[in-house]
Amino acid sequence: MNKKIIDKYTKEYGVRFSRRQKRKASLVLFEDMKDAGYEGTMISGRKVFSKAENYLFGNIKTMKTVIVIPFDTPQHCFWRRVSYYPLNGNKSANKSVLPMFAPVILLYLMVFVMLWIADHFVTSPQLAFGISLFIYFLIFFLLYLMTIGIANRNNYNRYSLSVATAIELAQKLGKDEKRKVGFLFTDKNKTRYYGAQLAVDKFIQENKNPDFICIDCIGEGSVIQIGYNPNMRKMAVKLKQKENIDLVKLSETMRMQNAMGVFSHAVVIARGDLDKDNELCLTTTCTSKDKHIEESMADDVVEMLYNYLCKLS
């Protein structure tokens, strides 16, 4: 792997949470993909208060396989351990309820306690005014936390290494492969995966139905798995090239609140460790601990994808 590219997207542009941060990083992304021989376009849309901006590289009329990489980064969870399941969106959502909402509930309680103290014990107008200001600040912070969230400052494994991996793969592909292989960097990778849905709508509009290969977290863990939708086992088998790679058929429940529920003709590559239920799990994402990756793991993914895509040409 190109160390310079990895450092660029993990350290310099590793926080892609706000719209300004995403656009700043996208300028660098367009330059790197152009150097790799790819021209890019934006697929954007707005829904109520949500706006998504995806970046698609390649000729949409000729691409048969699309490599999908989440481009944004998750919010920070004020929790010691956050369980993320790359192949099971429903379980990820269930496990993130407490880390996401415990701070919100705590802030609610603080507001009520401050109101009770101000009503029963405070007689000084100056002190009452100060408490009121503090309560307003808490309410504002609470609303901000609930609607927007706070950016996680370290996102090496989720999903910065995946971005660097895609660029490395794009640089390796030959002219013939570049015609048939596209790269899609998606926005709003949370809950309903609005960015992914926008991209699917664009392909339908162009009357195209390519295969999708999603790259999730690949930088840590002792187990690498390829999850596949029920109709995509044949593709997963061809993609697998080593005995130590597990194939996992994704159930309807696992595809809920996951990009695999949006991309029907799709497989996903992810790495992590197995939990007590024998499911692939990561515990450092959305926390300050997400700053340790093994670059050699990305090399394995690049090699696997390159060999697969070359055989399709």
Side-chain angles (χ1 to χ4, degrees), residues 190-207:
K190 182 181 177 182
T191 311
R192 297 186 179 182
Y193 286 77
Y194 180 49
Q197 187 60 59
L198 273 177
V200 169
D201 292 342
K202 177 66 174 178
F203 280 104
I204 293 175
Q205 180 184 338
E206 296 288 335
N207 197 28

Side-chain angles (χ1 to χ4, degrees), residues 172-219:
K172 290 190 65 173
L173 293 177
K175 185 177 180 180
D176 290 338
E177 289 84 32
K178 283 183 170 66
R179 289 184 62 256
K180 299 179 182 180
V181 179
F183 290 84
L184 174 65
F185 296 82
T186 56
D187 193 10
K188 297 295 180 182
N189 295 283
K190 182 181 177 182
T191 311
R192 297 186 179 182
Y193 286 77
Y194 180 49
Q197 187 60 59
L198 273 177
V200 169
D201 292 342
K202 177 66 174 178
F203 280 104
I204 293 175
Q205 180 184 338
E206 296 288 335
N207 197 28
K208 299 293 292 183
N209 189 27
D211 293 331
F212 295 93
I213 302 176
C214 303
I215 306 177
D216 209 293
C217 301
I218 56 172

Side-chain angles (χ1 to χ4, degrees), residues 50-67:
S50 181
K51 182 177 182 180
E53 293 181 353
N54 302 321
Y55 310 112
L56 178 65
F57 295 88
N59 188 340
I60 193 171
K61 297 186 182 300
T62 61
M63 62 180 65
K64 298 183 181 299
T65 305
V66 180
I67 310 299

Side-chain angles (χ1 to χ4, degrees), residues 205-272:
Q205 180 184 338
E206 296 288 335
N207 197 28
K208 299 293 292 183
N209 189 27
D211 293 331
F212 295 93
I213 302 176
C214 303
I215 306 177
D216 209 293
C217 301
I218 56 172
E220 278 192 322
S222 58
V223 178
I224 183 168
Q225 293 185 344
I226 299 176
Y228 62 92
N229 283 340
N231 58 333
M232 299 300 291
R233 176 173 172 80
K234 185 176 179 180
M235 180 182 180
V237 171
K238 289 182 178 180
L239 187 58
K240 174 183 175 177
Q241 296 168 13
K242 296 181 180 180
E243 291 299 322
N244 64 340
I245 299 176
D246 299 330
L247 299 184
V248 179
K249 181 179 178 179
L250 304 181
S251 66
E252 184 177 351
T253 301
M254 295 171 74
R255 299 196 301 274
M256 293 172 58
Q257 301 192 60
N258 189 296
M260 296 296 285
V262 180
F263 300 113
S264 57
H265 292 80
V267 301
V268 57
I269 303 171
R271 186 186 287 271

Side-chain angles (χ1 to χ4, degrees), residues 7 24 27 111 209 211 260 304 306:
D7 288 345
K24 187 176 180 180
L27 295 177
V111 169
N209 189 27
D211 293 331
M260 296 296 285
M304 178 171 60
Y306 178 75

Side-chain angles (χ1 to χ4, degrees), residues 253-308:
T253 301
M254 295 171 74
R255 299 196 301 274
M256 293 172 58
Q257 301 192 60
N258 189 296
M260 296 296 285
V262 180
F263 300 113
S264 57
H265 292 80
V267 301
V268 57
I269 303 171
R271 186 186 287 271
D273 295 305
L274 299 179
D275 70 352
K276 62 180 181 179
D277 298 321
N278 212 36
E279 288 198 55
L280 199 68
C281 179
L282 296 156
T283 57
T284 59
T285 68
C286 297
T287 71
S288 59
K289 298 177 182 178
D290 189 5
K291 55 183 179 180
H292 303 290
I293 52 174
E294 294 185 34
E295 298 171 12
S296 61
M297 294 181 175
D299 288 324
D300 293 339
V301 174
V302 171
E303 181 184 3
M304 178 171 60
L305 288 170
Y306 178 75
N307 293 335
Y308 170 79

